[in-house]
Amino acid sequence: MLLESPIEVVWSFTSKCNLQCPFCLVSSGKDKKDSTEDTGKLRILKEIIDNRVLKVVLTGGEPLTDNLTYHIISSLRKAGISVELTTNGTLLNRKTLNWLKCCGLKNIQISIHGSTPGINDMLTGEKSFRKIVNAIELSLISGIPIHTKTTLTKHNISDAPSLVKLLSSLGVTSICLDEVVPIGRALNNYSSLKPSVDELLKLESMIEELEINYSVEIDFKSFSLSMRQDGCAATCTLGDEKSYLSTISEQGNMYQCSMSALFDVRNNVLEKGLKKCWQDIRAFRKFIKPEKLTGACGSCELKEKCRGGCRGIAYRMTSSLWGEYPLCPLAQRGKFTSDNNTCFFKENKYEETRIP
Amino acid sequence: MTENKTDILDKIPVQAPHILSRIENGKAVIFDDTNGEPCLLNETGSLIWSLCNGKLSVRAVISELTCLYEGNSSQMETEIVDFISLLSYKGIITLS
């Protein structure tokens, strides 16, 4: 199904954020300035509307730090496009929520990373817990459907059952618990963030009971566990013609997924237009060549099936387009244990932010 | 899917509000906003989809299509009813 344009776009349209989470996928923060001016963002907005994208997930950074967000949501809704907002919740208030509801916002995803101020605020780098809980309560009152998202790290994974209990008591029924992924700022902090496989397995064994006990639906995602179950890394679909999703970065670059942004390839909507960028996204297939893989992946019997795991992460962690996928349990065998893959980070040239 | 053919003829099909769609080269791309599943209808399916506008009954949709296409009208009627029943079963349209 080669579509003329993506059906769904995840638009990370600002790098600005009032928090400083060590696992932020786009390394956003207070000191970040957007490289795309408002006029550029409005051009991207027009491209999205003109190319009849059906759904937009607005994310950041923190979208609500930018006043342009309101104009963007309003314009997308007027064009009949479904809109979801991803937010840390700290800037949501009753007035904002009323406005968002009037606009017909489809859903809000609110991030919360702990059941107590101590756990949550340690991870967000700011006193944000009370504001987030308040935002969840106000959102539920407003009637806009919400779900929460928690990034699971070694610092909060044991707190997850308490968090589910808290969220249930607030009235939340849809909860995402996602294992930290080594991209963005998390790439540089991965060894200090990654929960152990035993911790993940323990939580996984509790999910069903938590869902029943607290009448919630939990979407638990752990790429470490899924790799172990499948026997190999998840198959990368980079450049797949059946794809219907794309991401647009703050700079205006279009990728198929957040991980393919790690290649630093320029595919800019402001330069080429959305339609051309969407066509060119298939060129990322050049990064999928099982026959060229090296290291453990090169000699692996499963390489044609899994195609070398996530090639974006492999590239960033090994500095080689055809390097082995360091997070694959098979690749790790005999070299270092699944919970001790810090050797790749010692050579990392990117900035590092440690948890206090 | 178990609905009787005669039961369905006077019902009015309407596109479900959670289904987003657009037309590309005469074919409808439809996307379920609740589960994130897209699909591409063929040209005939796309035409039926566009006629599920809350104004026409299933009988009227059949009438529109039999005017446009040559062939066994009884077989066409059965296929259209089956297709509309499938869309209804999948929650892509509602029948009122």
Side-chain angles (χ1 to χ4, degrees):
Chain A
M1 182 162 72
L2 184 58
L3 298 167
E4 288 178 353
S5 62
I7 288 176
E8 182 175 336
V9 167
V10 178
W11 185 11
S12 176
F13 86 106
T14 180
S15 297
K16 290 179 281 187
C17 186
N18 53 341
L19 303 181
Q20 185 91 9
C21 303
F23 42 72
C24 179
L25 299 179
V26 293
S27 305
S28 64
K30 288 176 183 172
D31 56 339
K32 296 283 177 178
K33 287 182 180 167
D34 289 347
S35 59
T36 306
E37 301 283 330
D38 284 359
T39 49
K41 292 177 183 178
L42 292 173
R43 277 176 54 207
I44 295 172
L45 170 69
K46 186 172 185 306
E47 287 285 333
I48 288 172
I49 292 171
D50 289 351
N51 283 281
R52 303 179 302 155
V53 170
L54 297 177
K55 180 177 181 179
V56 172
V57 178
L58 278 179
T59 182
E62 170 50 49
L64 297 177
T65 57
D66 191 331
N67 285 333
L68 196 64
T69 302
Y70 300 99
H71 173 73
I72 287 172
I73 292 173
S74 172
S75 302
L76 291 169
R77 289 300 302 134
K78 279 177 187 165
I81 297 170
S82 178
V83 183
E84 284 190 18
L85 178 68
T86 298
T87 175
N88 62 36
T90 56
L91 301 173
L92 279 174
N93 56 44
R94 196 172 272 115
K95 187 180 169 188
T96 306
L97 285 160
N98 283 339
W99 184 88
L100 291 170
K101 189 174 187 197
C102 289
C103 269
L105 193 75
K106 167 89 170 46
N107 195 293
I108 303 177
Q109 175 184 289
I110 300 176
S111 302
I112 181 166
H113 302 295
S115 68
T116 65
I119 298 168
N120 179 82
D121 299 352
M122 173 191 68
L123 286 165
T124 62
E126 291 287 331
K127 289 184 178 177
S128 56
F129 179 78
R130 301 288 176 208
K131 291 177 184 172
I132 296 169
V133 169
N134 187 45
I136 291 170
E137 289 175 325
L138 289 175
S139 299
L140 289 164
I141 291 168
S142 78
I144 301 175
I146 71 159
H147 67 275
T148 59
K149 164 139 181 231
T150 304
T151 300
L152 297 171
T153 70
K154 67 166 66 167
H155 303 280
N156 64 353
I157 190 164
S158 61
D159 175 59
S162 301
L163 180 59
V164 170
K165 183 180 178 184
L166 168 74
L167 293 170
S168 171
S169 72
L170 293 173
V172 175
T173 57
S174 179
I175 298 167
C176 295
L177 302 174
D178 291 359
E179 180 189 351
V180 61
V181 180
I183 57 176
R185 193 175 288 128
L187 180 64
N188 310 305
N189 296 315
Y190 195 50
S191 56
S192 62
L193 292 171
K194 187 185 184 307
S196 72
V197 169
D198 285 344
E199 287 170 318
L200 289 161
L201 284 168
K202 185 179 174 188
L203 179 58
E204 185 185 48
S205 71
M206 299 167 73
I207 294 294
E208 196 175 336
E209 190 180 339
L210 288 169
E211 287 184 313
I212 294 167
N213 288 350
Y214 297 112
S215 302
V216 293
E217 197 172 293
I218 300 174
D219 182 11
F220 172 62
K221 290 198 196 93
S222 163
F223 68 96
S224 297
L225 296 188
S226 66
M227 282 195 295
R228 286 164 67 95
Q229 284 155 4
D230 297 344
C232 66
T235 303
C236 179
T237 57
L238 208 57
D240 194 332
E241 291 201 346
K242 289 180 180 172
S243 172
Y244 59 90
L245 298 167
S246 77
T247 66
I248 298 178
S249 68
E250 183 275 313
Q251 295 83 2
N253 284 312
M254 177 182 271
Y255 303 104
Q256 190 175 315
C257 61
S258 303
M259 279 72 161
S260 48
L262 295 171
F263 290 113
D264 273 342
V265 174
R266 208 165 167 81
N267 187 37
N268 202 288
V269 174
L270 293 169
E271 292 166 6
K272 301 196 284 185
L274 187 142
K275 192 171 184 176
K276 182 75 170 79
C277 286
W278 175 245
Q279 289 164 353
D280 288 352
I281 228 170
R282 272 135 193 98
F284 280 81
R285 266 183 298 201
K286 69 184 177 187
F287 297 120
I288 307 289
K289 289 183 179 167
E291 71 279 9
K292 284 196 169 186
L293 293 171
T294 60
C297 291
S299 55
C300 180
E301 292 175 359
L302 298 168
K303 66 180 178 184
E304 292 295 335
K305 181 187 170 196
C306 95
R307 310 203 291 177
C310 174
R311 297 313 305 157
I313 290 176
Y315 171 57
R316 268 302 162 92
M317 291 175 78
T318 67
S319 299
S320 164
L321 280 177
W322 315 114
E324 67 184 21
Y325 183 45
L327 303 181
C328 175
L330 296 180
Q332 291 170 0
R333 193 171 295 161
K335 298 182 80 177
F336 46 94
T337 68
S338 58
D339 294 331
N340 178 23
N341 51 9
T342 54
C343 59
F344 286 96
F345 297 94
K346 286 177 183 167
E347 296 170 7
N348 202 301
K349 60 187 177 185
Y350 303 98
E351 61 166 339
E352 191 156 346
T353 306
R354 292 278 177 197
I355 295 174
Chain B
M1 287 293 281
T2 55
E3 200 154 15
N4 192 299
K5 182 177 166 183
T6 51
D7 292 340
I8 205 174
L9 288 173
D10 292 321
K11 291 196 171 170
I12 296 177
V14 189
Q15 297 172 3
H18 63 277
I19 301 294
L20 311 172
S21 71
R22 69 182 187 218
I23 304 292
E24 283 190 14
N25 301 317
K27 294 178 182 175
V29 180
I30 61 175
F31 178 66
D32 188 331
D33 200 13
T34 54
N35 63 17
E37 282 187 13
C39 74
L40 187 66
L41 301 180
N42 66 20
E43 285 183 24
T44 314
S46 301
L47 183 55
I48 295 170
W49 165 254
S50 66
L51 293 171
C52 294
N53 54 15
K55 295 174 184 168
L56 301 174
S57 65
V58 173
R59 195 186 302 278
V61 171
I62 292 166
S63 175
E64 291 275 343
L65 267 86
T66 49
C67 289
L68 285 172
Y69 295 100
E70 291 179 0
N72 182 326
S73 60
S74 172
Q75 188 186 340
M76 281 176 65
E77 181 176 316
T78 303
E79 287 178 3
I80 294 165
V81 167
D82 284 350
F83 183 67
I84 287 177
S85 299
L86 179 66
L87 293 181
S88 172
Y89 174 74
K90 286 181 173 269
I92 293 168
I93 61 166
T94 56
L95 293 167
S96 55

